[in-house]
Amino acid sequence: AILSLTGKQPTNVNILYLGTATYDLPGPRERQTLRFIEAGCCVSALEVVNTAPGPLQLSAAVEAADVIVVSGGNTLFAVDRWIRLGLHQLLREAMERGAVLTGGSAGAICWFQGGHSDSMDPDSFKINMLAAAASQQGDESSTAPTNISEAKSWEYLRVDGLGFLPGLVCPHHDKVQSNGLLRALDFDSMLLRHDSELGIGIDHWAALEVCDGRFRVISVEGKEGSVLPDKTFSPDRKGVPGIWLKEVHDSKVEMRLCPSEGKLELLLRNPKVIKKDARTDACRIDNPDDAPGP
């Protein structure tokens, strides 16, 4: 689906991989670009975590890309780093000229106004991810505990994205991570605190495609998700993957299943106000960007 949006043959497609959210680690890059390489695409990576490429180098990399793939990982760190380097404006220009912008998890949140993020999970901090990768213990986001007594003590955070699309996105909407909390339920709590925003809950095996003023829900066949045959929500992933739309009315979260396709203007809306999460600055201190600036 991603390559078809370019209108080119795969061998003529240039892929730019941004692994900032996983600190430019090779493991995630190799896994997330393998299918593109197998299809014959030209794949390159723009590494900005430990170095500060100059404006000309950044521009050249972004302008050459037909598809820009953003990794999962720590959304807050990645978006902050891009803004610090001026990369955010180049990404907007890429969107405006028709490049395909894509990614999962942090790579989905970043295109929207904000998201339900695991950026406060210490396992997603730079120092810990680099150490875990070096010891081959893992290099991506945490998984659910085997029992609740092993749940780790950290909270989900509302983070800002780049604001290319309106909405507050929750990736992995149907899953549980190492804090033992179902993201769908915690997302409801977040929306009550940020009650002007439209919530978009994307199941782990689902995706939202936006193109030419229209949207389409994509789900991986044969995978588990939260949509039951009667179109109700399954907290135990007994259904198929889908996307849920959530809004707060009269201090209650109302949820409805996202249509399979339609006009984007009928799906998304801008909030009256965006409330910042008070814990954001503390998270930045815990996971600092200690690399050179521009």
Side-chain angles (χ1 to χ4, degrees), residues 98-250:
V100 178
L101 310 181
T102 188
S105 196
I109 291 175
C110 67
W111 311 120
F112 288 80
Q113 287 169 329
H116 181 268
S117 171
D118 60 0
S119 293
M120 289 182 70
D121 178 359
D123 288 342
S124 77
F125 292 174
K126 181 180 179 181
I127 189 172
N128 294 331
M129 286 195 72
L130 295 181
S135 62
Q136 299 182 337
Q137 294 178 2
D139 51 23
E140 294 196 64
S141 61
S142 61
T143 56
T146 54
N147 60 71
I148 196 62
S149 65
E150 297 177 355
K152 297 182 178 180
S153 179
W154 59 269
E155 299 175 341
Y156 289 107
L157 177 75
R158 187 216 173 274
V159 299
D160 284 341
L162 297 174
F164 298 172
L165 291 169
L168 184 65
V169 173
C170 177
H172 316 295
H173 180 256
D174 56 335
K175 292 198 73 176
V176 175
Q177 287 181 223
S178 64
N179 59 6
L181 301 174
L182 176 63
R183 289 190 74 150
L185 296 181
D186 193 85
F187 190 37
D188 288 354
S189 298
M190 179 176 289
L191 285 167
L192 291 172
R193 300 191 300 272
H194 302 270
D195 55 2
S196 179
E197 297 188 75
L198 170 69
I200 306 166
I202 304 175
D203 280 354
H204 184 73
W205 293 109
L208 179 66
E209 178 187 280
V210 174
C211 183
D212 295 332
R214 295 188 64 83
F215 73 88
R216 180 167 70 106
V217 175
I218 300 172
S219 61
V220 179
E221 188 174 352
K223 293 294 186 179
E224 65 276 8
S226 67
V227 184
L228 293 171
D230 63 357
K231 309 302 182 185
T232 57
F233 177 75
S234 168
D236 301 317
R237 308 182 80 202
K238 300 296 185 181
V240 297
I243 295 177
W244 298 90
L245 304 177
K246 298 184 172 186
E247 294 184 272
V248 176
H249 297 288
D250 298 324

Side-chain angles (χ1 to χ4, degrees), residues 47-90:
E47 298 188 357
V48 300
V49 171
N50 298 307
T51 60
L56 293 179
Q57 186 178 350
L58 293 174
S59 296
V62 174
E63 289 172 4
D66 300 301
V67 178
I68 299 174
V69 179
V70 172
S71 73
N74 195 295
T75 314
L76 179 64
F77 180 93
V79 172
D80 281 353
R81 183 67 179 161
W82 297 338
I83 292 173
R84 185 181 178 193
L85 297 177
L87 186 54
H88 63 306
Q89 185 57 42
L90 295 175

